[in-house]
Amino acid sequence: SQTIHQWPATLVQPVGSPLSLECTVEGTSNPNLYWYRQAAGRGLQLLFYSVGIGQISSEVPQNLSASRPQDRQFILSSKKLLLSDSGFYLCAWSITRNTGELFFGEGSRLTVL
Amino acid sequence: SQKIEQNSEALNIQEGKTATLTCNYTNYSPAYLQWYRQDPGRGPVFLLLIRENEKEKRKERLKVTFDTTLKQSLFHITASQPADSATYLCALASGSQGNLIFGKGTKLSVKP
């Protein structure tokens, strides 16, 4: 069966510090991968998606970047965090785009102070 | 661009009653619409998908309807239980890439 792992689960970072969130999927090949952010009082916002190794598309301009160094690994990064980067970050995967359901990780709670 | 509105931020009902949650969208009718459940501090979990040519879909105590004329989907939980308490999100594909966008969710509380 397929599983998705996301870490760390929680982190508190000072403004201006770097960020790295990692997500891995097991039990499937060539998944579509996504990073969403859920801020307090707001819905899930799609940040990045990837259809293959090294292929990253950004949905919104922001202080973050994403990379996919391996087929089932997706990394969310920032060189310098802003207060507005605080939120609940969710990695997800799907088998197909446009028609398939998303399978989400457990999320990473980021607090920037 | 497509927008999703889940009009009720919170819904409180008594155990055993039917909960009905509403999801409205603003522009073109999507090919399908999905519903997810999210518990506090957890990632959303997929529940049901309904396609535009399907009027209704059921899964155990869950029922989803899709009305492309009203641009609306209704999500029903019959014989609700306290364990059904969670936030329910609707989602649909939007944009040229067809990525899923989500509503803000409705927080359902089922009281014993």
Side-chain angles (χ1 to χ4, degrees), chain A:
Chain A
S1 64
Q2 300 90 359
T3 58
I4 179 169
H5 302 283
Q6 186 180 342
W7 69 94
T10 60
L11 63 165
V12 180
Q13 296 284 101
V15 169
S17 64
L19 171 74
S20 180
L21 301 178
E22 191 162 339
C23 172
T24 59
V25 179
E26 297 176 358
T28 187
S29 297
N30 197 31
N32 299 296
L33 296 172
Y34 309 82
W35 279 110
Y36 282 84
R37 177 171 59 201
Q38 191 172 37
R42 301 184 63 182
L44 283 165
Q45 180 186 34
L46 179 62
L47 303 176
F48 300 96
Y49 66 92
S50 171
V51 299
I53 296 174
Q55 300 178 62
I56 309 294
S57 296
S58 174
E59 284 290 295
V60 294
Q62 58 205 309
N63 184 43
L64 303 168
S65 62
S67 62
R68 185 171 177 174
Q70 300 181 46
D71 181 45
R72 290 168 290 176
Q73 183 185 27
F74 206 23
I75 298 172
L76 183 70
S77 304
S78 174
K79 293 182 178 179
K80 290 185 178 181
L81 284 168
L82 306 172
L83 286 174
S84 58
D85 292 324
S86 293
F88 191 47
Y89 289 83
L90 289 155
C91 180
W93 71 274
S94 68
I95 298 172
T96 60
R97 292 191 60 236
N98 302 336
T99 60
E101 69 258 35
L102 293 181
F103 301 93
F104 285 88
E106 289 301 308
S108 298
R109 174 76 60 190
L110 170 65
T111 303
V112 182
L113 301 175

Side-chain angles (χ1 to χ4, degrees), chain B residues 34-77:
Chain B
Q34 301 182 16
W35 284 89
Y36 290 77
R37 168 181 172 145
Q38 186 175 23
D39 291 288
R42 308 289 294 274
V45 175
F46 171 79
L47 296 175
L48 280 168
L49 179 152
I50 185 166
R51 301 186 186 281
E52 62 179 338
N53 60 350
E54 298 174 315
K55 296 297 183 185
E56 178 180 301
K57 201 156 192 179
R58 293 175 183 263
K59 179 183 177 182
E60 298 174 350
R61 294 184 295 110
L62 308 180
K63 184 179 83 170
V64 173
T65 63
F66 195 2
D67 189 327
T68 55
T69 301
L70 294 178
K71 296 186 177 181
Q72 181 180 83
S73 174
L74 298 179
F75 177 81
H76 307 271
I77 305 177

Side-chain angles (χ1 to χ4, degrees), chain B:
Chain B
S1 62
Q2 186 74 280
K3 291 184 180 179
I4 299 180
E5 297 171 352
Q6 292 185 253
N7 296 334
S8 298
E9 286 190 10
L11 178 64
N12 300 311
I13 64 168
Q14 205 67 32
E15 182 176 8
K17 301 293 185 182
T18 296
T20 299
L21 285 63
T22 304
C23 177
N24 295 288
Y25 55 93
T26 56
N27 293 340
Y28 57 87
S29 285
Y32 63 92
L33 191 144
Q34 301 182 16
W35 284 89
Y36 290 77
R37 168 181 172 145
Q38 186 175 23
D39 291 288
R42 308 289 294 274
V45 175
F46 171 79
L47 296 175
L48 280 168
L49 179 152
I50 185 166
R51 301 186 186 281
E52 62 179 338
N53 60 350
E54 298 174 315
K55 296 297 183 185
E56 178 180 301
K57 201 156 192 179
R58 293 175 183 263
K59 179 183 177 182
E60 298 174 350
R61 294 184 295 110
L62 308 180
K63 184 179 83 170
V64 173
T65 63
F66 195 2
D67 189 327
T68 55
T69 301
L70 294 178
K71 296 186 177 181
Q72 181 180 83
S73 174
L74 298 179
F75 177 81
H76 307 271
I77 305 177
T78 58
S80 59
Q81 304 166 2
D84 295 326
S85 298
T87 296
Y88 292 86
L89 310 171
C90 71
L92 52 83
S94 178
S96 59
Q97 300 303 314
N99 290 309
L100 276 184
I101 61 171
F102 287 80
K104 292 182 180 181
T106 296
K107 184 177 181 180
L108 174 67
S109 296
V110 181
K111 304 298 182 184

